[in-house]
Amino acid sequence: MIKQVSQIRTGSPQGQCTEASYASILKVPLDEIPDLYTGDPKTPRSDERWIAMHDYLREVHGVKICHIVIDRWSPFKEKDMYIPWLTEPHTITGHNLDGVPHMVVGFKGEMIWDPNPQRRGLVDMDGIEFLLGRALMTQEFWDLPYGLTITMEDV
């Protein structure tokens, strides 16, 4: 279902949980995924790095990111609202035990892999991300240089 890829750098802002989660879902080595960290703690992740990530996902793997923000008002907070249509591995975003933003790999709303070598998981959930193939979107969305974020205002 996935390839269990671990992040090498941990902590904030230099951690690689996003890159390792995508690598796990795509079943590729970590070093194949573009590095989001700029090397500068003041601006750890730039728009240019994210656009490079989106370009890589679209051009190499034929997928785009769809991020669903989960907040206390979201219908997605109740697992019964979204588990039935989660048929592929996806990411889950939230915070680890230290309160640091973190990403893990999930399936049907449950964590199946934590790329952090300590494997401590999440203490809360604030989003899920799907890597969607071309057939599932309009040309207009496919041509955007970034992915799609859905919030409660969009539902």
Side-chain angles (χ1 to χ4, degrees):
M1 176 181 300
I2 67 166
K3 174 183 180 178
Q4 295 180 339
V5 177
S6 295
Q7 63 191 90
I8 296 168
R9 292 190 318 266
T10 61
S12 180
Q14 72 279 355
Q16 295 173 293
C17 60
T18 301
E19 295 92 325
S21 293
Y22 293 162
S24 295
I25 291 171
L26 297 169
K27 303 176 189 169
V28 299
L30 180 61
D31 62 1
E32 186 177 310
I33 302 291
D35 192 346
L36 291 171
Y37 184 56
T38 63
D40 180 358
K42 292 178 183 164
T43 55
R45 296 180 183 224
S46 67
D47 289 345
E48 292 80 18
R49 296 279 178 135
W50 272 109
I51 289 172
M53 175 69 79
H54 288 286
D55 288 347
Y56 164 80
L57 292 171
R58 184 179 62 234
E59 294 166 15
V60 176
H61 295 282
V63 296
K64 290 196 71 138
I65 299 168
C66 177
H67 180 86
I68 299 176
V69 176
I70 298 172
D71 58 31
R72 61 186 165 159
W73 301 284
S74 174
F76 299 108
K77 197 68 171 176
E78 299 300 322
K79 288 187 177 180
D80 291 343
M81 294 295 290
Y82 62 87
I83 283 182
W85 52 274
L86 298 181
T87 60
E88 297 293 327
H90 54 84
T91 67
I92 303 171
T93 58
H95 297 86
N96 67 17
L97 291 168
D98 301 321
V100 175
H102 189 44
M103 179 182 280
V104 299
V105 179
F107 183 72
K108 295 191 174 188
E110 299 291 334
M111 185 184 84
I112 60 170
W113 176 245
D114 182 348
N116 186 294
Q118 294 181 332
R119 316 276 185 249
R120 298 184 306 161
L122 300 172
V123 296
D124 63 11
M125 177 171 66
D126 59 22
I128 54 177
E129 285 186 0
F130 304 94
L131 298 179
L132 299 176
R134 171 67 186 94
L136 299 173
M137 61 194 73
T138 65
Q139 186 66 42
E140 179 182 38
F141 175 62
W142 185 252
D143 291 339
L144 292 174
Y146 46 83
L148 175 67
T149 298
I150 299 172
T151 64
M152 194 55 208
E153 292 83 34
D154 300 318
V155 177

